[in-house]
Amino acid sequence: MTEEATYSGPNRIFSGIQPTGNLHLGNYLGALKKFTDLQNEGWEGIYCVVDLHAITMPVEPAALQDQTRQIAAAMMAAGLDPDTSTIFVQSSVRAHTELTWIFNCVARMGWLEKMTQFKDKSGKDSERASVGLFDYPVLQAADILAYKATHVPVGEDQKQHLELSRNIAARFNQQFDAPGFFPLPEGLIEGPGARIMSLKDGTKKMSKSDPAENSRINLIDDADTIARKIKKSKTDTHGDMPETVEGLEGRPEVANLVGIYAALSGQSDEQVLAEFGGKGFGTFKPALADLAVDHLSPITQKMRELLDDPAEIDAALRKGAEKANAVAEPIIEEVRRVVGFWQA
Ligand code: TRP
């Protein structure tokens, strides 16, 4: 194999959020806040509500519509500016489905059979899973590469899908003798908030499907609920807050609370422990509850306002679709030429 020529286009971020279920603190810190910070650092960013991905599992059409608007509202409320960044709905840009088909003919069955998310989601009876669920990561690769995005802010759980995107890009470039045509997109995974755990079990991810309501903070929770959930969160019996980061080892619940404080306040764990080390949870938890409420309530307030009158959301999404299309369309035209499709 000849050495891969490197991609020389501009840096560009793409990320997507599924319109399924309610957003929680983990989604906020792991995705929405990160997107906003990256935007404010000057990155070009394209942020997508991935409704095509959502239908890989059964979903009511009315619920899909509602949840699509909710994610868009959350993106805007968290600080993504539809004029600076691109915010749009996946199904409103045809490039995603067209490129998925082409990538279906590039990706290998064996690659997809290794995907742990498919194995988890399809459960014991994978024969009854939709073909779309199996193909989910190929659509994700198409999302990213339809814009030749170079960087993808996502959670830890998406590492494998991202690696698949790189494999598809590399194989496309090689198979069609187009060195450097697609970038090999990199994750932006680390950083505070990368892994927010359940408030009831510091070894489990905070999840919308956890039956224990107290295990997560939902973005739509009111101030009292947020404060109550933090005050009731699990800690341990190893004593007060540790003075150092090493002292967090073997204390997953405490490490998680410190991580949440750090992510919300834009500090490191060290800085948080410099302030709270040696103090009791009776001091730390109320401080964390106040911080969470102060940080989240303007966002939930804005989200409610947007959802009360969705005209602003819809206008932003229409404009976002136009902007996204303007980037993707010329790339798809090039892909068609590279693949050898007839062109009028
Ligand atoms: N699979 C991602 C998740 O569940 C969502 C997603 C779809 C995505 N397409 C994407 C993330 C493209 C990053 C880039 O979190």
Side-chain angles (χ1 to χ4, degrees), residues 191-258:
R195 236 173 124 70
I196 300 298
M197 313 306 281
S198 157
L199 297 180
K200 290 285 160 196
D201 176 352
T203 63
K204 263 186 10 198
K205 260 184 72 167
M206 186 176 283
S207 159
K208 62 182 175 234
S209 53
D210 192 323
E213 185 56 37
N214 281 338
S215 69
R216 72 185 149 260
I217 292 173
N218 299 306
L219 271 196
I220 49 155
D221 284 347
D222 59 27
D224 289 348
T225 310
I226 294 177
R228 181 173 46 77
K229 286 179 177 175
I230 289 177
K231 288 181 188 153
K232 283 190 151 180
S233 63
K234 183 170 174 228
T235 49
D236 57 33
T237 52
H238 303 317
D240 291 339
M241 301 279 293
E243 309 264 357
T244 62
V245 175
E246 292 74 53
L248 291 171
E249 253 165 61
R251 304 184 72 180
E253 284 81 17
V254 181
N256 186 40
L257 295 179
V258 169

Side-chain angles (χ1 to χ4, degrees), residues 36-340:
T36 306
D37 291 345
L38 289 162
Q39 165 189 273
N40 298 341
E41 285 165 28
W43 283 82
E44 180 192 345
I46 303 181
Y47 299 102
C48 182
V49 187
V50 293
D51 57 348
L52 299 172
H53 279 105
I55 66 164
T56 57
M57 299 288 263
V59 52
E60 287 285 332
L64 182 61
Q65 283 237 10
D66 270 8
Q67 286 170 356
T68 296
R69 282 207 185 93
Q70 254 186 55
I71 301 292
M75 286 176 168
M76 291 163 71
L80 281 182
D81 174 355
D83 292 322
T84 311
S85 297
T86 299
I87 304 175
F88 76 107
V89 180
Q90 190 183 28
S91 63
S92 62
V93 175
R94 311 254 184 233
H96 298 253
T97 45
E98 181 165 357
L99 192 55
T100 297
W101 180 255
I102 294 166
F103 284 173
N104 279 339
C105 304
V106 172
R108 305 290 98 183
M109 290 292 286
W111 300 357
L112 292 181
E113 276 160 1
K114 289 205 194 79
M115 296 292 120
T116 55
Q117 189 169 303
F118 174 74
K119 290 185 215 169
D120 292 346
K121 282 199 184 173
S122 61
K124 279 195 215 78
D125 202 359
S126 64
E127 294 284 305
R128 302 196 64 83
S130 74
V131 175
L133 189 67
F134 187 66
D135 206 30
Y136 179 115
V138 178
L139 175 58
Q140 183 163 345
D143 293 342
I144 299 164
L145 294 166
Y147 304 90
K148 295 192 175 178
T150 53
H151 293 82
V152 185
V154 277
E156 290 274 345
D157 62 329
Q158 294 300 308
K159 264 192 178 161
Q160 199 184 26
H161 287 167
L162 214 55
E163 164 126 45
L164 184 92
S165 299
R166 281 196 292 279
N167 290 339
I168 291 177
R171 190 179 167 122
F172 178 99
N173 292 352
Q174 192 208 4
Q175 181 173 329
F176 293 104
D177 199 17
F181 182 87
F182 281 123
L184 309 188
E186 284 170 40
L188 295 173
I189 292 176
E190 282 76 36
R195 236 173 124 70
I196 300 298
M197 313 306 281
S198 157
L199 297 180
K200 290 285 160 196
D201 176 352
T203 63
K204 263 186 10 198
K205 260 184 72 167
M206 186 176 283
S207 159
K208 62 182 175 234
S209 53
D210 192 323
E213 185 56 37
N214 281 338
S215 69
R216 72 185 149 260
I217 292 173
N218 299 306
L219 271 196
I220 49 155
D221 284 347
D222 59 27
D224 289 348
T225 310
I226 294 177
R228 181 173 46 77
K229 286 179 177 175
I230 289 177
K231 288 181 188 153
K232 283 190 151 180
S233 63
K234 183 170 174 228
T235 49
D236 57 33
T237 52
H238 303 317
D240 291 339
M241 301 279 293
E243 309 264 357
T244 62
V245 175
E246 292 74 53
L248 291 171
E249 253 165 61
R251 304 184 72 180
E253 284 81 17
V254 181
N256 186 40
L257 295 179
V258 169
I260 293 173
Y261 195 103
L264 284 170
S265 63
Q267 290 177 289
S268 63
D269 289 359
E270 284 86 352
Q271 287 169 313
V272 176
L273 292 176
E275 189 177 345
F276 290 102
K279 303 216 168 109
F281 297 114
T283 307
F284 179 63
K285 279 183 173 181
L288 177 58
D290 284 349
L291 174 66
V293 168
D294 285 352
H295 191 101
L296 296 176
S297 41
I299 296 170
T300 52
Q301 165 82 18
K302 176 79 189 158
M303 225 176 125
R304 274 188 221 109
E305 279 167 27
L306 285 165
L307 288 167
D308 279 346
D309 174 16
E312 189 182 337
I313 303 172
D314 291 339
L317 290 176
R318 268 196 299 276
K319 186 169 141 198
E322 264 172 43
K323 289 206 290 183
N325 212 37
V327 179
E329 211 34 57
I331 293 173
I332 295 299
E333 278 307 311
E334 278 184 283
V335 169
R336 298 171 61 92
R337 191 173 42 74
V338 167
V339 171

